[in-house]
Amino acid sequence: MADGPTVLDVRDLKVVFATRAGEIHAVNRVSFDLKAGELLGVVGESGSGKSVTMMALLGLLPSPPAEIRSGQVLFEGEDLVTCGARRLKAIRGHRIGFVFQDPMTSLNPVFTVGFQIMEPLRRHLGLDKARARRRAAELLDLVGIPDASRRLGDYPHQFSGGMRQRVMIAIALACEPRLLIADEPTTALDVTIQAQILELVRDLRRSLGMAIVWITHDLGVIAGIADRVMVMYAGQVVEMAPVRDLFADPRHPYTRALLATVPSVRGPRADKLQAIDGQPPLLLAHPAACSFAPRCAHAAGSCAVANPPRRPVMPAHEVACVFDMARARPAPVLDVAHG
Amino acid sequence: MLTFTLRRLLLSIPTLLAISLVIFLILELAPGDPVASMPLTIPPEVREKIRESLGLGAPFHVRYLLWLKAFFVTEPLHALDALLGTDFAAGSQRILSFQSRSPVFDIIAERLPQTLTVVGMAYLIGVLIAVPIGIISAYRQYSWFDQIGTLIAMLGYSVPTFFTGVLLIVVFSVHLGWFPSIYDTTLVVDSWDSFLLQVRQMTLPVAVLALYNAAQISRFMRASMLDNLHQDYVRTARAKGMGERVVVFVHVLRNSMIPVVTVVALGVPGVFGGAIITEQVFKVNGLGQLLITAIYGNDVPMVQTLTFIFAILIVLFNLVADVLYGLLDPRIRYD
Ligand SMILES: Nc1ncnc2c1ncn2[C@@H]1O[C@H](COP(=O)(O)OP(=O)(O)OP(=O)(O)O)[C@@H](O)[C@H]1O
Ligand SMILES: [Mg+2]
């Protein structure tokens, strides 16, 4: 669908948190890339490292405790891990917009919404107050907040959760970034507003050629807007595939389990909601074996021995499993020096 | 906000009346006799006369009402007279001190400047150094700056002022001879030299009190900053590409100042109350010292009036703190 130039290329990213209980290996050698105009959906259980991965890209994790242990984050060819604070500041909010997960706490309670939208406009685009204000009103209008220019003077607490999330989106879009990272941006919204936001994002993607990372728990949303999907488990990417392939032909046991948890509207009514049994691992060390094996219905002896690297099973479809579920037979045991 | 302020001001009138009654009752019930400290050779009849001349003969409620009238009517009128040269208060009875027989308010007016220059200055300096220290300590949590700041704050807060005061006197007055150990109230500042003298004699008491105040407020500032530095909106500000200076001094500071401003406002009445111990150590005859001597001398009108003035200030600055809170935090609405 999108084959513009590569905007983002993340290689082998590893993030560790130093805690009193020891190191938490939250993100383990995550690699993915993104082309201009492409929308990458990111799914995975709570705690699988989706937010931490994306915040690490922009150096937004508090350090300590967070540490980027290894890896590269190439944004338009420039490594954000090593480029330095000054450069990073010029990119954040300007070339890359970020929408955070929690709209209730992500806005500063003592400044007006207008001030907070105008900040990046004035800093990055050098707009004067009047022009920044006009643009801020446009942005609020764009994300569907009625009576936008009057509401610029309101404070966050005067907005509902969904409206705050839209304000966050307006801030992220303010400077027309090349890349938008949206962390569960529509979770707090009702279905109609959600549809509006999705429509808006689709438009912007087309008109600006913006690349988008869209984190969500809602597989329905992913099916509707994503080009490709990245499935995360225990800080690792376990499957990466074009959206159609992922839903039609999931190859990783975890992905299959995840898809099975979605209640179908059309199918026969399930007696109870499916859930994946067991708990995700604690991540106290770099995974030496497959992290999903303890919960996996298909686990075999080889799963506890080595951590399988991601490998292509079809064009553009990669899976980190010793098996290939499509054919449901063990793949040859891999050379795991990489894992 | 205005209606809120007015309503609160009106509401504070019954509150203050109740407080004044309670103070009056407590002093009434307290043992002690204003003539007790007079020589034993005075015969009992004379003693009774003296007591009557002090107004102690009248029943309780009469004395209370007379005091109220004097406090709320005569004294303000008198102040007006002094200001405008009018003659409204002519002949009405002012509140007189048992000890000196001079009007209580005149004595207070005499003592207030000492207290305000020393204690007020110490409060101001304390706040001014506490805020930046609190900010840096929080921003560089666990750095050597923060560790030293914590240590000094602990010392400043936990070591009593009579100890730090005496310590400073021993070091800087006795051994080094840099500063006088006694505050000379009679010093008139009218030249450069006398100004320097005034600064020198203020240095030690102000330092003692400023350390104490700064220790407390810097801890507050630090805690409040730390609270806010870890909020989500700080991450949002960074994600927008704002510089650290903007993040800290605009986004975090504005939020952190809200509780600190409240605490600072609530501490202001304490300035007027004087710092009883420090004033004693350095012989600053301010309001704190005045209250102590009045209590020792069973000078009921003086104690009553001073205590009530403190009560008014506390009620007033509670209101000021609330109003400031409302101004700084848009989430607070008082209507
Ligand atoms: N400050 C921190 N200190 C220690 N561990 C952390 C910290 N922040 C995150 N983690 C750990 O990192 C892991 C990944 O967390 P992350 O927030 O990325 O999950 P997520 O996939 O975004 O989940 P959700 O869907 O609930 O948002 C979790 O196991 C979490 O415990
Ligand atoms: Mg998350």
Side-chain angles (χ1 to χ4, degrees):
Chain A
M1 194 185 279
D3 30 39
T6 299
V7 174
L8 183 70
D9 186 2
V10 178
R11 296 181 186 164
D12 268 342
L13 186 69
K14 180 162 177 67
V15 179
V16 174
F17 288 98
T19 68
R20 224 170 290 162
E23 286 186 340
I24 306 270
H25 294 246
V27 176
N28 296 306
R29 296 180 153 242
V30 164
S31 301
F32 62 94
D33 63 357
L34 203 58
K35 297 197 172 19
E38 189 180 26
L39 195 149
L40 176 71
V42 181
V43 295
E45 266 173 311
S46 190
S48 57
K50 306 182 295 291
S51 301
V52 170
T53 304
M54 298 312 156
M55 283 186 231
L57 301 186
L58 279 183
L60 287 174
L61 292 171
S63 171
E67 183 204 333
I68 296 182
R69 189 57 54 90
S70 70
Q72 284 180 308
V73 177
L74 300 173
F75 174 69
E76 300 189 314
E78 185 177 8
D79 187 359
L80 301 186
V81 177
T82 55
C83 71
R86 175 186 288 260
R87 188 71 197 120
L88 212 49
K89 263 179 267 174
I91 291 172
R92 287 175 188 162
H94 183 200
R95 316 284 297 154
I96 304 180
F98 209 121
V99 179
F100 290 99
Q101 198 166 349
D102 191 349
M104 299 313 275
T105 55
S106 290
L107 290 167
N108 194 326
V110 304
F111 292 103
T112 62
V113 157
F115 174 84
Q116 297 186 59
I117 303 177
M118 282 155 70
E119 259 189 325
L121 292 169
R122 303 193 64 185
R123 180 177 174 90
H124 298 300
L125 306 183
L127 298 188
D128 59 38
K129 219 172 184 164
R131 289 176 58 195
R133 174 163 281 275
R134 222 170 308 137
R135 174 89 180 112
E138 276 171 35
L139 284 161
L140 267 196
D141 195 49
L142 188 73
V143 294
I145 290 187
D147 203 3
S149 51
R150 196 184 54 77
R151 300 229 61 182
L152 288 179
D154 285 351
Y155 290 91
H157 72 273
Q158 291 163 298
F159 290 76
S160 71
M163 287 167 106
R164 282 186 227 185
Q165 189 63 292
R166 281 183 276 167
V167 170
M168 285 298 298
I169 295 172
I171 291 174
L173 294 177
C175 301
E176 305 195 336
R178 294 290 293 153
L179 170 63
L180 175 72
I181 300 175
D183 194 348
E184 303 191 26
T186 53
T187 311
L189 307 181
D190 65 59
V191 183
T192 31
I193 302 295
Q194 189 173 330
Q196 273 175 32
I197 296 286
L198 292 176
E199 194 52 45
L200 169 73
V201 166
R202 232 176 255 146
D203 283 353
L204 287 166
R205 185 150 62 108
R206 214 172 303 130
S207 58
L208 303 177
M210 192 165 64
I212 301 174
V213 175
W214 195 275
I215 302 177
T216 182
H217 287 277
D218 190 337
L219 293 167
V221 168
I222 289 285
I225 60 167
D227 299 313
R228 275 192 301 153
V229 184
M230 175 161 105
V231 182
M232 291 191 69
Y233 183 79
Q236 286 173 290
V237 178
V238 293
E239 184 158 4
M240 168 86 93
V243 65
R244 204 157 305 166
D245 296 356
L246 190 98
F247 282 96
D249 188 15
R251 300 293 181 98
H252 194 283
Y254 176 66
T255 314
R256 293 172 70 106
L258 200 63
L259 292 177
T261 60
V262 181
S264 166
V265 182
R266 265 176 251 130
R269 190 160 165 241
D271 290 337
K272 65 180 183 104
L273 286 177
Q274 281 280 328
I276 305 175
D277 289 332
Q279 293 292 319
L282 275 175
L283 302 172
L284 287 169
H286 187 85
C290 174
S291 308
F292 189 60
R295 300 168 73 185
C296 181
H298 310 273
S302 57
C303 297
V305 176
N307 192 4
R310 229 158 86 193
R311 64 199 169 96
V313 289
M314 288 213 309
H317 193 155
E318 297 179 342
V319 171
C321 181
V322 291
F323 300 110
D324 182 354
M325 295 313 293
R327 277 157 276 165
R329 62 176 167 77
V333 176
L334 294 153
D335 163 24
V336 288
H338 184 69
Chain B
M1 184 66 88
L2 192 67
T3 47
F4 165 78
T5 313
L6 289 176
R7 200 170 63 221
R8 277 283 299 268
L9 278 174
L10 283 178
L11 269 176
S12 59
I13 292 173
T15 314
L16 284 170
L17 282 178
I19 293 175
S20 73
L21 184 61
V22 169
I23 297 172
F24 215 89
L25 274 171
I26 290 174
L27 290 178
E28 178 74 15
L29 295 174
D33 181 357
V35 294
S37 52
M38 292 182 175
L40 286 171
T41 47
I42 298 177
E45 318 88 68
V46 183
R47 238 172 234 281
E48 206 46 52
K49 281 261 158 51
I50 296 176
R51 213 176 264 132
E52 250 158 58
S53 76
L54 291 175
L56 285 173
F60 169 76
H61 61 275
V62 175
R63 274 180 288 132
Y64 175 61
L65 291 175
L66 280 176
W67 177 86
L68 272 189
K69 173 170 177 268
F71 191 96
F72 285 106
V73 182
T74 314
E75 292 295 344
L77 283 180
H78 198 85
L80 212 63
D81 291 348
L83 214 63
L84 306 173
T86 48
D87 201 19
F88 293 129
S92 40
Q93 181 63 50
R94 302 187 63 189
I95 305 172
L96 296 182
S97 157
F98 282 174
Q99 283 176 306
S100 64
R101 308 297 296 145
S102 49
V104 161
F105 273 90
D106 290 355
I107 306 175
I108 294 175
E110 248 166 50
R111 300 297 190 92
L112 191 61
Q114 279 82 266
T115 290
L116 283 191
T117 39
V118 175
V119 187
M121 181 66 79
Y123 197 59
L124 192 68
I125 292 179
V127 172
L128 288 182
I129 59 179
V131 169
I133 287 179
I135 294 173
I136 301 172
S137 297
Y139 190 67
R140 301 229 173 282
Q141 194 186 8
Y142 305 133
S143 66
W144 61 266
F145 182 93
D146 183 30
Q147 311 271 11
I148 292 174
T150 304
L151 186 74
I152 293 177
M154 294 259 282
L155 288 175
Y157 190 46
S158 54
V159 177
T161 49
F162 62 77
F163 184 81
T164 31
V166 172
L167 186 74
L168 289 194
I169 288 178
V170 168
V171 175
F172 291 102
S173 301
V174 179
H175 283 286
L176 296 171
W178 291 353
F179 303 106
S181 68
I182 291 179
Y183 189 92
D184 176 8
T185 332
T186 57
L187 181 73
V188 182
V189 179
D190 55 3
S191 63
W192 183 242
D193 283 345
S194 58
F195 174 74
L196 283 184
L197 222 58
Q198 171 68 12
V199 169
R200 274 184 51 198
Q201 71 171 355
M202 277 172 65
T203 305
L204 290 187
V206 167
V208 167
L209 286 173
L211 174 70
Y212 185 74
N213 290 325
Q216 223 175 338
I217 296 166
S218 69
R219 290 277 95 186
F220 244 108
M221 188 73 222
R222 178 179 180 273
S224 181
M225 283 291 288
L226 280 178
D227 237 18
N228 280 288
L229 274 169
H230 296 121
Q231 296 291 321
D232 287 351
Y233 69 77
V234 178
R235 197 178 52 197
T236 307
R238 293 209 169 99
K240 289 195 288 189
M242 308 317 291
E244 278 306 284
R245 215 171 306 162
V246 175
V247 170
V248 175
F249 290 108
V250 177
H251 286 267
V252 178
L253 188 60
R254 177 71 197 276
N255 281 280
S256 311
M257 282 315 284
I258 296 171
V260 175
V261 164
T262 310
V263 166
V264 169
L266 290 177
V268 172
V271 172
F272 288 87
I276 294 174
I277 291 166
T278 313
E279 286 187 357
Q280 292 285 352
V281 170
F282 290 97
K283 310 279 184 292
V284 183
N285 55 349
L287 290 181
Q289 215 215 20
L290 181 63
L291 180 62
I292 286 290
T293 42
I295 291 171
Y296 284 148
N298 283 311
D299 190 346
V300 177
M302 180 64 88
V303 176
Q304 161 85 21
T305 308
L306 275 178
T307 321
F308 188 55
I309 290 177
F310 297 155
I312 293 179
L313 288 170
I314 289 169
V315 169
L316 188 69
F317 276 92
N318 261 293
L319 175 62
V320 169
D322 279 353
V323 169
L324 284 175
Y325 207 110
L327 289 177
L328 286 173
D329 191 336
R331 285 164 295 186
I332 308 289
R333 279 281 158 269
Y334 291 126
D335 31 57

